[in-house]
Amino acid sequence: MTSDPREVLSRPARPADFTLRYGEHPDQLADVRLPAVPGAPLVLFIHGGFWRSEWDRTHAGPLAADLADRGYAVATVEFRRTGQPGGGWPGTFSDVAAAAVAVPDLLAKEIAHRGLRPVAVDRPILAGHSAGGHLALWYAAVAPDAVGGVVALAPVADLACAHELNLDDGAVADLLGGPPDQVPEAYAAADPMRNLPSKVRTVIVHGSDDAIVPVTLSRDFCRMARRVGDDTTLVELAGVEHFAVIDPLSAAWPAVLAAFGTVTRGETEADD
């Protein structure tokens, strides 16, 4: 187990097997790590970092490598972020949507071209951490028929509340172009809390000691989702902070694996 929660952000991981490009922009790509078994379910993973350009998909390498070692095919999606041309609303969102549509088909073609073991690319699992968890919840509500399930790790599940709390010094306003009273259309379209029900099986894993994205956002989201009929579960982990849920060396990791097992309905064993 690690003593510094942030150590996972710079820990080396085995390189991706290959990288797919779903658009012309340098950040419209996804790193792919494949398991050793055929027919593996596909996970599209969206990294966190409060949607800001300072953070990219690299820090999700340990998570992606561990999931691949356990029988999942993992595509770690990159996208335009705030602080970059085209990042924020709506570019960040259109990138995630484009990746969700294009990457499964691109992966199937690349696997066939390379003669590799096939992957179950239809209706992939959408997963993400923090801001990436928000984007996973958002896309599931936008295109529920294309998503096989959602695993959201410490997600920013309520943008209006996150703005009120001033998370990461105005990250939500930077993403959407202002506060809710100035850009109400953006919040209406982008906030998962305002786009329920999604009708997608969802498991949220969130630590009770998370000081970066408070667990109250996930509690409120799950309460509302269940109220409108969604199959949404919150796994709240006592004593767990923000980064443990993406760290395969943490005590929280078995709960994360169990969440993936739940949304894949037992197709892949999530052992600790």
Side-chain angles (χ1 to χ4, degrees):
M1 305 300 174
T2 61
S3 57
D4 179 4
R6 292 179 176 266
E7 185 269 339
V8 68
L9 300 179
S10 56
R11 185 188 308 150
R14 71 172 174 89
D17 294 309
F18 51 84
T19 297
L20 300 171
R21 294 196 171 275
Y22 65 88
E24 296 182 357
H25 189 276
D27 282 327
Q28 292 172 332
L29 47 79
D31 291 336
V32 175
R33 291 174 173 87
L34 296 174
V37 296
L42 173 60
V43 174
L44 300 180
F45 189 82
I46 310 168
H47 70 82
F50 280 111
W51 314 278
R52 300 190 188 278
S53 60
E54 289 86 350
W55 296 98
D56 64 16
R57 68 196 185 283
T58 304
H59 72 267
L63 173 148
D66 191 88
L67 287 178
D69 289 343
R70 295 175 186 272
Y72 295 91
V74 185
T76 308
V77 175
E78 195 56 273
F79 49 93
R80 291 173 293 173
R81 304 171 301 285
T82 59
Q84 298 174 299
W89 177 261
T92 293
F93 296 80
S94 62
D95 281 3
V96 169
V101 171
V103 168
D105 288 341
L106 291 170
L107 176 58
K109 292 176 182 177
E110 187 68 18
I111 284 174
H113 175 72
R114 293 172 179 251
L116 302 173
R117 297 179 181 89
V119 167
V121 299
D122 291 338
R123 301 184 74 242
I125 303 302
L126 206 60
H129 174 238
S130 194
H134 153 259
L135 291 167
L137 293 171
W138 166 79
Y139 186 73
V142 171
D145 292 341
V147 179
V150 171
V151 176
L153 309 176
V156 187
D158 185 336
L159 293 187
C161 182
H163 173 72
E164 290 179 10
L165 295 172
N166 196 34
L167 297 191
D168 201 52
D169 194 22
V172 176
D174 290 343
L175 174 71
L176 297 183
D181 61 342
Q182 292 183 11
V183 287
E185 297 86 357
Y187 281 82
D191 195 339
M193 185 69 92
R194 303 191 188 190
N195 287 278
L196 291 169
S198 73
K199 303 300 184 184
V200 175
R201 193 178 199 191
T202 298
V203 178
I204 296 177
V205 184
H206 209 139
S208 65
D209 288 3
D210 193 329
I212 295 176
V213 179
V215 70
T216 52
L217 273 67
S218 287
R219 291 175 186 162
D220 292 345
F221 178 85
C222 287
R223 189 179 301 114
M224 181 63 71
R226 290 193 294 267
R227 185 177 301 165
V228 297
D230 272 351
D231 181 359
T232 300
T233 301
L234 172 61
V235 179
E236 184 171 337
L237 302 178
V240 168
E241 49 68 59
H242 189 64
F243 299 104
V245 294
I246 61 167
D247 187 353
L249 301 183
S250 77
W253 192 241
V256 175
L257 295 175
F260 278 98
T262 295
V263 298
T264 54
R265 292 177 168 84
E267 293 173 10
T268 298
E269 291 295 327
D271 48 7
D272 54 25

